[in-house]
Amino acid sequence: MRLRLVRENTSIDFFSRGRIWLGLSAIAMVIAFASFLIQGLNFGIDFQGGTSIRTDSSQPVDIAEYRAVLDPLDLGDVSIVSVDDPLFDDDQYVTLVRVQAQDGDERIASETIEAIQSALRTIDPGMTFPSIESVGPKVSGELIQTAILAVALAVVAILLYIWLRFEWQFAVGAVLALTHDVILTIGIFSELQIKFDLAIIAALLTIVGYSINDTVIVFDRVRENLRKYKQKPLKEVLNISINETLSRTLMTSVTTMLALLALFILGGDVIRGFVFAMMWGVLIGTYSSIFVASAFLLVLGVKRDWSKKDPSAGTRYGHIDT
């Protein structure tokens, strides 16, 4: 017996309240954009600038212990990452301790560095500090620009891919859904003031890939059913296609969410922001592939036979009320 999250042959009308779903999405995007303009993002060290201190110890790394001895110094945003390398000796344990820029300075003061070193030596008196590097505001600004460019290029590449594989109406619907996902993800990070760093950019790119995968599955079934049901209205074909792929969509989302939930609970502070972004992205991506991308496709309309040229293609069903 196969596990199913929804019963077979569902007949849910996803577009009976299509305007309401699009309206709620539009309101959520406006709130997210307003939060971004008013509060901004809580940038991490990657985008804010700061100092990276490499530690070398003969004792196993306990990140919670490192953080406990540094918290009394009131350094602001501190990132502690354990570094593994097969070239290290068996008794060599390396970490990178990154501290945000203090009071707008490019690098933290020597007195602060000495205080950090003294605090960490309470864990291991023989700890050494092979390198100390600073990331200034200029480099951080370049990272922000590169991150924005990476997300934009990913969306453009997906637009071209969908356009070539399907039709321009499918491409526009998919990209609008992706834009919806990215804006709402940035908005939730702005609203909750969760640390935003390069790991979150990686999560955004992963969310884009996850969301478009769901959307392509639905669109592929739509294209098949447009050829199969030549006389049915586009709205009905879209409902049939989404219902047919609903079990697969929910199964993928739930299994992914279970894995992410385990990482969120057990993974620790280092990856918690990344995992939260992924969890939010799975929820929003599943919603947008069903309600946003398909709703825009219904508004734009599509042609029914790709083997014939039709000057009215793309507008034949544009008058249908969502």
Side-chain angles (χ1 to χ4, degrees), residues 13 16 32 48 61 70 81 88 106 115 177 185 195 241 283 295 304:
D13 186 357
S16 60
Q48 196 176 38
V61 176
L70 293 177
V81 180
F88 290 163
E106 180 168 334
T185 302
K195 185 172 66 175
S241 302
L283 291 174
R304 308 301 286 259

Side-chain angles (χ1 to χ4, degrees), residues 183-199:
I183 290 177
L184 290 190
T185 302
I186 293 175
I188 196 70
F189 271 79
S190 173
E191 185 66 32
L192 300 180
Q193 287 295 289
I194 301 172
K195 185 172 66 175
F196 194 91
D197 52 22
L198 284 177

Side-chain angles (χ1 to χ4, degrees), residues 17-82:
R17 294 179 174 82
R19 292 186 183 276
I20 294 177
W21 295 120
L22 288 178
L24 290 175
S25 294
I27 292 171
M29 291 175 67
V30 170
I31 294 174
F33 192 68
S35 176
F36 174 75
L37 291 179
I38 296 171
Q39 295 190 125
L41 292 170
N42 179 21
F43 288 118
I45 296 170
D46 296 325
F47 297 132
Q48 196 176 38
T51 298
S52 177
I53 303 172
R54 173 171 168 157
T55 72
D56 199 333
S57 174
S58 59
Q59 298 182 10
V61 176
D62 184 340
I63 292 178
E65 189 176 6
Y66 278 46
R67 192 173 296 279
V69 299
L70 293 177
D71 280 346
L73 300 180
D74 195 21
L75 299 170
D77 185 16
V78 177
S79 171
I80 305 171
V81 180
S82 177

